[in-house]
Amino acid sequence: MPPRLALTAAACLLAGSAAFAQRPPAPPHGPMPPPHGAIAFQAEMVATGRVQQWLINPNGEADGLLLSDGTQVAFPPHLSAAMMQMLRPGDTVQVSGWRAPNVPVVRAQTIGANGRSVTDQPPMPGMAPPPLRDPGTLVAMSAGGRIERLLYTDRGDVHGVLLADKTIVRFPPHIGAMYGAQLQPGAQLHARGWGTRGAQGTALEATSLGPTADTVREVFGGAGVPWGPRGAGPMPPAAPMMMPPPPAPAS
């Protein structure tokens, strides 16, 4: 994939991920509602534990925490700065929010640590949404190693992995579902894409995946899984993305 096309695709995925994470608005001055369709969610779920590491999105913003017991805590990235001012890995946190049955993710409303707390408040009427990061700040990256842990959305869909070196590889949930047989803890994974490196961690949005650097395949070609069963060798490359022809000039 040409760098400019890959960068555009990654930027679109990141924008889509941000939209996916937004909560429906709450009545002014009222409590934050659970996620849309969260009839099966456990309201006001409270989790307590020690922070093992930040969960960083490819823009370099924190949008979650990994606790030492394996619980993942999700919050919108606009809380990143406030969260990083309040706590650091090793601190003990108390989390209230919602959690779907059998999903190891708490969608946080309030997180408390060190005698302080941060609450996700709905935007005030007329308030402009936070600006998206300029895609030009993303850099081409690659990462590889053993998958240590799967990362989930608050609905239980796999949308990333944590590698043994603590690098985070993100991808859309439909990619996680498509490649689920290969994305397992203990398996080897190599990814190429666009992301950031910073003091709080490294994360990238994958545009290509494979078990090794020599067998990565683009994930946008629609050709199915990028590699075959163990021992079967790589699958054929994905078909190139075809752009529609330009419209005929008006007569």
Side-chain angles (χ1 to χ4, degrees):
M1 178 181 292
R4 180 170 296 180
L5 181 57
L7 178 58
T8 301
C12 291
L13 284 171
L14 295 177
S17 298
F20 181 84
Q22 295 299 313
R23 285 198 183 124
H29 310 297
M32 180 70 73
H36 176 68
I39 194 168
F41 280 59
Q42 299 173 3
E44 296 301 324
M45 163 65 187
V46 177
T48 301
R50 183 175 60 84
V51 177
Q52 180 172 312
Q53 79 167 78
W54 295 105
L55 297 180
I56 305 295
N57 66 26
N59 281 331
E61 303 158 319
D63 61 3
L65 302 169
L66 176 63
L67 305 187
S68 57
D69 65 356
T71 299
Q72 297 170 35
V73 178
F75 52 83
H78 69 256
L79 296 181
S80 176
M83 292 293 300
M84 288 186 175
Q85 290 175 359
M86 183 180 68
L87 62 87
R88 64 185 60 186
D91 290 346
T92 297
V93 297
Q94 298 79 39
V95 184
S96 64
W98 297 271
R99 182 175 185 172
N102 303 317
V103 174
V105 179
V106 176
R107 184 170 185 171
Q109 178 181 3
T110 300
I111 299 177
N114 303 315
R116 301 167 60 191
S117 65
V118 172
T119 299
D120 182 21
Q121 297 287 356
M124 297 296 292
M127 181 182 295
L132 295 176
R133 175 174 291 215
D134 181 359
T137 62
L138 302 175
V139 297
M141 298 173 59
S142 64
R146 179 178 55 83
I147 297 176
E148 181 174 290
R149 186 180 300 275
L150 302 181
L151 301 178
Y152 298 90
T153 69
D154 54 15
R155 298 182 184 277
D157 301 313
V158 175
H159 74 148
V161 299
L162 176 66
L163 299 181
D165 67 356
K166 307 309 179 185
T167 296
I168 292 172
V169 178
R170 294 280 185 95
F171 37 76
H174 75 274
I175 297 296
M178 186 181 297
Y179 303 159
Q182 289 78 28
L183 299 172
Q184 298 296 331
Q188 294 292 315
L189 180 70
H190 192 91
R192 295 175 186 158
W194 299 85
T196 55
R197 291 185 176 92
Q200 306 303 336
T202 299
L204 65 91
E205 185 82 16
T207 58
S208 300
L209 293 171
T212 67
D214 296 330
T215 57
V216 294
R217 295 291 183 268
E218 294 181 4
V219 297
F220 299 112
V225 296
W227 61 88
R230 184 179 298 274
M235 297 291 285
M241 298 175 65
M242 301 299 293
M243 300 298 293
S251 56

